[in-house]
Amino acid sequence: MLRFLTAVLILCSTASFAQTDSLQTTHLNEVIVTGVTRATTVRKNPVPISVITKKEMTTHLNTNLIDAITKSIPGVSAVTTGPNISKPFIRGLGYNRVLTLYDGVRQEGQQWGDEHGIEVDQYGIGRVEVVKGPASLTYGSDAIAGVINMIPDLPTGEDGRLKGNFISEYQTNNGMIGSSLGLSYHKNDWHYVFRLSGKMAHNYRNAADGYVYGTAFRELNGTAMARVDKKWGYSLLATTLYNNLQEIPDGSRDSLTRKFTMQVTEGEDDDIKNRPIVPDHLLKTYTINDLHQHIRHYRLYNRTKIGNFFSNIALQQSVRQEYNHPLTPKQPGLDLILNTLNYDFRYNLPTIHGIEMTAGANGMYQTNRSQNATDFPIPDYNLFDIGGFYFLRKSFGPVDVSGGIRYDHRHIHWDDFRQFTAFAHSYDGISGSVGATYNLSERLLLKANIARGYRAPNITEIGSNGLDPGAHIVYLGNRSFNPEFNLQEDIGFLAYLGDLDISVELFNNNITNYIYQARLNDVVIVPGNATYQYQQSKARLYGGEFSLNLHPRAINWLKINNSLAYIVGLNQNAASIREHGDQAKYLPFIPPLHARSEWKAVFPNMYGKIEVDGYARQNHFYGVDHTETATDGYVLLNLGAGGTVAKKFDLFFQVDNVLNTVYQANMNRLKYFEYFAASPNGRSGIYNIGRNCSLKVSVQF
């Protein structure tokens, strides 16, 4: 892989640096709405921000939106638990450290768990904006790693005429069938959008495991929006529905054949190493088995702008049921209802002496309740969160300066509940940032930013004390944890030249009171399930991303996009390092060196591409009690093509993992689903998806 990367860099470095008057304004003047109320651009914003358009997402054929983002933006990765569950990580930080938004509304849906994905209709997203680095200034707690804002598609059309879009796709590896119908209507000042989407898949397969039992899923989504635009501003009312049936894999196998086995009984009668082998017909069925999750997410929100005043108010409900009792399949082990009221108010103050100012307040009120469950990993709790911020920006000739300060307060409490004794505590934090962009010329930008982020401990970190059946993990929290604070320095260089674009982004991130999971191998609370205890210490992460995109004017149909991302995560828990040595030196869930190269031929109405995706071996892992292990490097070859027919039909074809490479991503949680110390074929855990051919059709009408 390193030889391949070197060859690519040599090729790109020989490209012409001759400049023309034709700037790539789509990069320089891309409007960004994430992070501030006033419209800003890539040129003016010192914070590292990346944008993925609808067109880019459409040409990446994936089973979920987060995988499309990780393919497009270096420095963004994902923890996965099967093909339909991906949790975003930004520069080595994830879970409640990455704030995911839907149209500016923070996504709340028990996001602390490994097996909890993003509850969003991927077909209805028109744009994704990613902030890399602390964004606590405008969003408060949970954004110390960054923000992913998923903005729904609001197509425009001829006044008084119904406009529609139908998408259908099929993927061969797990037989995934996906369809989506979107309708929009525009009349005078009113704009209406409706979308209904669904997808289903049987178990995925690879050359090492065959079909991986327990990875089938079925998903249904609905969206309805109405917006009115007037001289005074606009108002949008929208509602969304997400309904997902997701099987729960556990990785149990026959010791000799390595075929997957199925749980048919419980307790002392269940010998996890002597279960019946899964019949072949159950490996390819679209019927969801008895051991599964049922996740529903409902959202109703209003976004209004009147003059310089902006408001965003939302109601959300997340219903999560996990069924893990084979003898009583209708009895959920986990049954949680999370209700959230989100509020966000901002006001653009009058500009004084060229200084643009915004003041705002946002937060949420949240309740979480267990229903008809048998397992209780977290207590029933109430949470109230509020924060206020002040942001300003001013230009001094070629230098654009921006920054601000914020104060947050969060109170969480619960009464006596089963194995949980009553608890009440408040967390407070001050965060802020300051940065500048120096326009060396129209084509060359130098950026620097320093930001302090804040994150209150989440419910599972302070309150957990029980089994999460979907993850097969018993979590143990700690009530004495303090809030996390981080101080991150970013520096970036951007060049938009005649024949190529260059981007260099470097960061250094120091975190106090960093919270992480450590496995306890000598502690078995629930047989057949791992036990993890949360720890807290100092941590440091540093690294960067490098992109070199070639678009030679002499060969205007050729586009070569290359990226490299590298992250080091150091655990600075001195006591743990003294006890465990190098096994405790690094942080968990740190992605390895990642290099990607895409060669794309673009012609009128059609394109073809070759992608090479390479991951180095990850030897820097948190190895205490085998929480993590080393992960071998691998290279994936992908092919794709697409085109437009009669201006209304878009066809896309893609083959991922063309060579059917057998590999395990180091952030694949299924890698650790293993119950034997050794196996006949020398392999341990579950491997990632094998070769997958995808076909997508999009019809405009």
Side-chain angles (χ1 to χ4, degrees), residues 102-104 124-127 150-154 223 225 301 303:
Y102 179 85
D103 205 10
I125 301 300
R127 174 184 174 93
M150 300 164 287
I151 302 171
D153 190 22
L154 291 171
T223 304
M225 297 182 174
Y301 70 97
R303 187 174 70 250

Side-chain angles (χ1 to χ4, degrees), residues 595-648:
R596 190 170 185 271
S597 183
E598 177 191 74
W599 295 59
K600 195 171 186 178
V602 181
F603 303 99
N605 299 323
M606 64 180 298
Y607 74 89
K609 64 179 180 179
I610 300 174
E611 300 172 352
V612 178
D613 222 1
Y615 291 82
R617 179 178 172 84
Q618 181 57 291
N619 289 318
H620 297 167
F621 57 90
Y622 184 81
V624 176
D625 284 331
H626 302 287
T627 298
E628 291 184 308
T629 58
T631 307
D632 290 333
Y634 55 92
V635 177
L636 302 178
L637 175 65
N638 309 317
L639 302 176
T644 301
V645 180
K647 298 183 179 180
K648 291 186 176 181

Side-chain angles (χ1 to χ4, degrees), residues 83-226:
N84 199 42
I85 300 178
S86 295
K87 299 186 70 66
F89 270 54
I90 297 178
R91 292 174 167 176
L93 298 175
Y95 298 98
N96 284 77
R97 298 182 182 94
V98 173
L99 184 59
T100 56
L101 309 174
Y102 179 85
D103 205 10
V105 177
R106 61 185 294 151
Q107 185 86 4
E108 292 294 324
Q110 312 286 2
Q111 58 265 34
W112 43 267
D114 279 330
E115 78 291 2
H116 304 169
I118 303 300
E119 297 151 355
V120 168
D121 178 9
Q122 70 183 81
Y123 297 116
I125 301 300
R127 174 184 174 93
V128 175
E129 299 168 351
V130 178
V131 178
K132 291 188 283 188
S136 299
L137 171 62
T138 47
Y139 292 108
S141 180
D142 302 350
I144 68 172
V147 174
I148 296 179
N149 190 10
M150 300 164 287
I151 302 171
D153 190 22
L154 291 171
T156 59
E158 183 180 341
D159 192 68
R161 183 175 178 181
L162 184 68
K163 183 179 180 180
N165 167 250
F166 178 73
I167 299 172
S168 183
E169 67 174 313
Y170 176 73
Q171 299 185 10
T172 60
N173 187 283
N174 60 353
M176 197 200 85
I177 301 170
S179 297
S180 180
L181 174 64
L183 300 173
S184 64
Y185 181 74
H186 182 216
K187 183 66 174 178
N188 298 326
D189 298 327
W190 288 89
H191 190 181
Y192 306 93
V193 175
F194 304 93
R195 181 169 291 276
L196 184 65
S197 305
K199 57 183 181 180
M200 62 180 183
H202 57 63
N203 298 299
Y204 81 88
R205 67 182 185 273
N206 59 57
D209 301 310
Y211 286 93
V212 178
Y213 183 64
T215 58
F217 61 87
R218 184 179 300 163
E219 186 179 306
L220 179 67
N221 301 288
T223 304
M225 297 182 174

Side-chain angles (χ1 to χ4, degrees), residues 654-686:
Q654 185 170 305
V655 184
D656 290 318
N657 193 1
V658 174
L659 303 179
N660 206 23
T661 300
V662 174
Y663 71 99
Q664 285 178 319
N666 84 305
M667 297 176 71
N668 175 14
R669 300 307 296 148
L670 298 183
K671 172 187 174 184
Y672 301 100
F673 283 25
E674 178 61 60
Y675 297 97
F676 295 99
S679 67
N681 61 8
R683 300 186 186 275
S684 176
I686 298 174

